[in-house]
Amino acid sequence: MAKAPVLTPQADDFPRWYQDLINKAELADNGPVRGTMVIRPYGYGLWERMQQEMDARIKRAGAQNAYFPLFIPQSYLTREAEHVEGFAPELAVVTHGGGKELEEPVVVRPTSETIINEYFSKWVQSYRDLPLLINQWANVVRWEMRPRVFLRTTEFLWQEGHTAHATYEDARDYAAHIHEEVYADFMVNVLGIDVVLGRKTASERFAGAVNTLTLEGMMGDGKALQLGTSHELGQNFARAFNTRYLSKDGQQELVWQTSWGASTRMVGGLIMSHGDDSGLRVPPRLAPVQVVVLAIKGDEAVLAKVREIGERLAAAGVRVQVDDRTDTPFGRRAVDWELKGVPVRVEVGPRDLENGTAMLVRRIPGGKEPVALDALAALLPGLLEEDQALLLRQSRERRESRTADVSSIEAAVESAVAGGWARIPWADLGEEGEARLAEHAVTVRCLVAEDGSVPDTDDAPGNVAVVARAY
């Protein structure tokens, strides 16, 4: 009788595979309130590594971290009409506190443009105060009708950047810098996801923005996932909050602004981009644990050796964990690490010691081979980089092989429904065609220029719409 698989196979039921993996790899649990989640230590370790990598890039871009309140007066949101209209269905509103009805209801932070602008208007006085570049790591609440752990939750974790600039050009260029040098660099070179960079159509723009730049990744089932966005806000919020500065010419001018964010949704993207029927596959540059050294048996010599190997690998700059829990069967531990997607396992037993070798098991390409113990520290960094490159290559090949160039709305729908993406000239699609796609649960994920770059305007000649079904 065949042994039942640990996970539902992707080909049988991709959503069930995703939920199985989150559970079996101990990434998260559903919270007690519908749409919330409890992020377990291994899942949070992935998020911490994402934070570290992104935070370093954000700081290189000149932004400083700050923190703003979770509760926002409801009146703040009503100042920018398009913004409040866009977020109204998702708001959680507090009307009572301390056993009494509040004089003014407060909104639980869905995003912070309004409250941050209240303070920007106080902090910005002169052109010398600009640019003002602020980022915060926080939680936000958006009441989610169809929750899915990591992908769409009522409460989620993220970073949100907010900036004020003296000119439109400076704000535009900074939004593009975040899009390319922070988000794309991180997603391509650390997450190993070959994202498409583009601009959103008017109907898909962030509420209150004049332009939204996006990064779209293709998941294992061919659907798209928006992994991050960078918005040009123009002067909409500056006008609503009277955020002005005294120019070099002595004139009072409105600032130009950006906002940008990426969230724990990226953990879901990591799972669905790289996971397979055996579990996660974590890119080595991201992995909290790049190598796990397992003792096969509780032999004292084996235990001493795995601890020694762990110390040598750590000294070589490898993020390593020693698994010497020999009271738990070896097979179960090996499956657990496989599920968690640790890139490399180094397995050591009494026979390996006799031979002066360890069994090297590579999670990403698969396969195992004996390796001399003395060679591990020199060998592993190179293998980890090979595996990092392989994940990115597989991500790119999947997207390219499952993206069709089409010339009709019907063909675009057919491609998306079949589990792929389509590229169609925006001139042939337009807003009317975008509405027709929506009837089939297909959306324009972004607009790109003919050469694949990010276009300067929605209606630039040669713009191509990338369309897909999406999470």
Side-chain angles (χ1 to χ4, degrees):
M1 187 173 178
K3 188 177 179 181
V6 176
L7 303 173
T8 301
Q10 289 185 356
D12 291 354
D13 188 336
F14 194 85
R16 173 53 57 190
W17 166 84
Y18 178 78
Q19 290 301 134
D20 281 355
L21 180 48
I22 286 172
N23 179 40
K24 297 288 179 64
E26 300 179 336
L27 300 179
D29 272 332
N30 289 313
V33 175
R34 185 178 182 275
T36 62
M37 62 177 169
V38 174
I39 306 176
R40 300 185 66 175
Y42 190 71
Y44 199 81
L46 294 171
W47 174 240
E48 283 183 312
R49 287 284 305 135
M50 292 179 183
Q51 282 184 300
Q52 291 162 13
E53 291 283 348
M54 296 243 312
D55 197 58
R57 287 164 172 77
I58 288 168
K59 285 172 178 166
R60 283 201 295 271
Q64 294 179 297
N65 286 339
Y67 186 79
F68 293 81
L70 175 68
F71 295 122
I72 301 174
Q74 192 173 40
S75 59
Y76 284 18
L77 270 78
T78 62
R79 295 193 205 174
E80 212 290 325
E82 188 179 340
H83 188 68
V84 70
E85 182 181 349
F87 278 99
E90 300 176 317
L91 297 182
V93 182
V94 179
T95 58
H96 289 73
K100 297 180 181 179
E101 186 171 353
L102 301 179
E103 288 185 15
E104 179 186 351
V106 297
V107 171
V108 183
R109 171 176 55 216
T111 182
S112 297
E113 278 76 8
T114 57
I115 193 167
I116 288 179
N117 263 281
E118 175 73 11
Y119 287 87
F120 275 14
S121 67
K122 296 178 181 180
W123 298 345
V124 174
Q125 303 296 325
S126 157
Y127 69 90
R128 297 183 184 89
D129 300 321
L130 299 173
L132 180 55
L133 312 174
I134 295 292
N135 177 64
Q136 79 165 341
W137 292 94
N139 61 338
V140 291
V141 170
R142 300 178 185 176
W143 216 257
E144 185 58 56
M145 295 298 103
R146 292 180 295 277
R148 187 173 294 179
V149 173
F150 289 123
L151 299 177
R152 288 189 176 275
T153 48
T154 295
E155 179 192 16
F156 55 90
L157 307 180
W158 75 347
Q159 60 72 215
E160 51 176 320
H162 301 267
T163 70
H165 305 260
T167 66
Y168 160 74
E169 290 79 11
D170 195 37
R172 177 201 62 199
D173 292 348
Y174 194 79
H177 181 80
I178 293 293
H179 189 220
E180 296 167 12
E181 301 302 323
V182 174
Y183 291 157
D185 181 67
F186 166 70
M187 291 169 192
V188 171
N189 294 315
V190 179
L191 289 187
I193 300 175
D194 188 53
V195 289
V196 170
L197 282 68
R199 63 187 285 141
K200 288 291 191 183
T201 62
S203 66
E204 292 285 331
R205 243 180 242 144
F206 177 75
V210 298
N211 180 33
T212 290
L213 303 171
T214 184
L215 302 101
E216 303 285 331
M218 179 184 280
M219 302 297 99
D221 61 351
K223 287 186 178 179
L225 184 70
Q226 177 182 291
L227 287 159
T229 47
S230 183
H231 315 290
E232 296 174 44
L233 301 180
Q235 295 179 310
N236 291 344
F237 288 92
R239 192 170 292 110
F241 286 83
N242 197 32
T243 310
R244 297 177 181 271
Y245 71 98
L246 187 67
S247 72
K248 289 181 181 179
D249 300 329
Q251 302 295 316
Q252 285 289 328
E253 304 281 356
L254 289 170
V255 299
W256 297 83
Q257 291 185 272
T258 77
S259 68
W260 26 277
S263 75
T264 39
R265 166 178 281 208
M266 291 189 295
V267 180
L270 172 76
I271 296 166
M272 294 193 298
S273 289
H274 301 316
D276 61 20
D277 286 347
S278 297
L280 277 171
R281 292 190 305 161
V282 181
R285 291 182 188 170
L286 179 76
V289 179
Q290 295 174 312
V291 177
V292 61
V293 186
L294 287 91
I296 294 175
K297 291 187 176 179
D299 180 288
E300 284 302 321
V302 168
L303 294 175
K305 180 56 72 172
V306 296
R307 291 163 188 158
E308 178 195 322
I309 293 169
E311 290 172 1
R312 287 167 55 195
L313 293 181
V318 175
R319 293 189 292 277
V320 62
Q321 183 167 330
V322 172
D323 184 348
D324 53 8
R325 302 167 298 155
T326 52
D327 54 344
T328 299
F330 169 75
R332 177 177 171 183
R333 289 183 288 136
V335 168
D336 284 346
W337 290 114
E338 188 100 343
L339 282 166
K340 286 180 165 63
V342 170
V344 173
R345 298 200 309 272
V346 175
E347 300 173 352
V348 182
R351 188 174 300 171
D352 299 297
L353 275 190
E354 290 176 12
N355 297 330
T357 62
M359 188 59 70
L360 188 75
V361 184
R362 295 173 69 181
R363 176 69 183 89
I364 291 165
K368 59 173 67 177
E369 62 177 327
V371 172
L373 291 172
D374 293 341
L376 285 170
L379 180 67
L380 282 170
L383 294 184
L384 291 170
E385 281 301 297
E386 283 181 20
D387 292 352
Q388 180 78 32
L390 175 61
L391 285 178
L392 179 61
R393 187 164 65 250
Q394 290 176 343
S395 174
R396 179 177 297 120
E397 288 171 353
R398 176 175 63 235
R399 179 177 60 80
E400 290 177 347
S401 67
R402 295 173 73 170
T403 299
D405 285 299
V406 301
S407 56
S408 71
I409 294 171
E410 292 73 21
V413 169
E414 182 180 348
S415 182
V417 170
W421 292 8
R423 290 165 40 96
I424 181 171
W426 177 240
D428 295 343
L429 186 65
E431 292 180 4
E432 184 179 331
E434 189 175 12
R436 287 175 58 191
L437 290 177
E439 296 171 4
H440 302 275
V442 177
T443 53
V444 176
R445 303 315 306 157
C446 61
L447 300 175
V448 298
E450 274 183 300
D451 63 0
S453 63
V454 181
D456 292 328
T457 61
D458 291 357
D459 55 1
N463 275 2
V464 174
V466 178
V467 310
R469 285 188 165 169
Y471 286 100

